[in-house]
């Protein structure tokens, strides 16, 4: 009888040990899944942020090209105005010479 109690005690101990181990494994798996899910969310957020920054940089490049084109157009107009001004000064100088005689 005492031997049966002793065997039953061992069986109960092993059963509780197995249940504890199983619960520990289940808890570890659940924690791992939660961690993986959080990491996945962080990765997705990081990718979305990088994509947003990339689009912003692309917009800045487009604006910069537009500004460069405008600057080139202004430089061309400035050159024409300077040439026209030179010719006007030459005519004024010629007119002043004729008037001073």
């Amino acid at each position: 009888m005492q031997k049966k109690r002793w065997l039953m005690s061992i069986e109960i101990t092993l059963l509780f040990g197995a249940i504890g181990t199983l619960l520990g494994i289940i808890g570890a798996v659940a924690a791992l899944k939660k961690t993986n899910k959080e990491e996945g969310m962080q990765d997705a957020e990081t990718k979305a942020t990088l994509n947003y920054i990339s689009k912003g940089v692309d917009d800045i490049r487009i604006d910069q090209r537009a500004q460069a084109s405008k600057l080139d157009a202004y430089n061309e107009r400035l050159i024409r105005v300077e040439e026209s001004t030179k010719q006007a000064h030459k005519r004024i100088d010629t007119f002043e010479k004729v008037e001073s005689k």
Side-chain angles (χ1 to χ4, degrees):
M1 191 78 155
Q2 198 173 16
K3 196 173 189 182
K4 282 186 178 183
R5 281 188 192 171
W6 186 71
L7 287 174
M8 195 171 179
S9 173
I10 290 175
E11 289 173 351
I12 291 173
T13 303
L14 289 175
L15 179 65
F16 284 137
I19 291 172
T21 303
L22 184 61
L23 289 175
I25 291 171
I26 291 172
V29 168
L32 185 62
K33 283 183 181 180
K34 183 179 178 185
T35 302
N36 286 342
K37 183 178 179 182
E38 289 173 355
E39 286 176 0
M41 290 173 64
Q42 287 175 349
D43 287 346
E45 187 177 321
T46 301
K47 286 180 184 178
T49 302
L50 287 175
N51 191 22
Y52 177 76
I53 291 170
S54 176
K55 285 181 181 181
V57 169
D58 290 343
D59 290 344
I60 290 170
R61 285 182 182 160
I62 290 169
D63 290 345
Q64 187 179 16
R65 286 185 189 129
Q67 290 297 327
S69 295
K70 285 181 182 179
L71 186 60
D72 288 344
Y74 287 138
N75 283 337
E76 200 172 310
R77 289 179 64 194
L78 179 63
I79 290 169
R80 288 184 193 152
V81 168
E82 286 176 342
E83 290 172 354
S84 177
T85 304
K86 274 185 189 179
Q87 290 177 358
H89 276 294
K90 285 181 185 178
R91 282 184 254 146
I92 291 171
D93 289 344
T94 304
F95 181 72
E96 285 178 349
K97 284 181 186 177
V98 171
E99 285 291 318
S100 64
K101 285 185 183 181

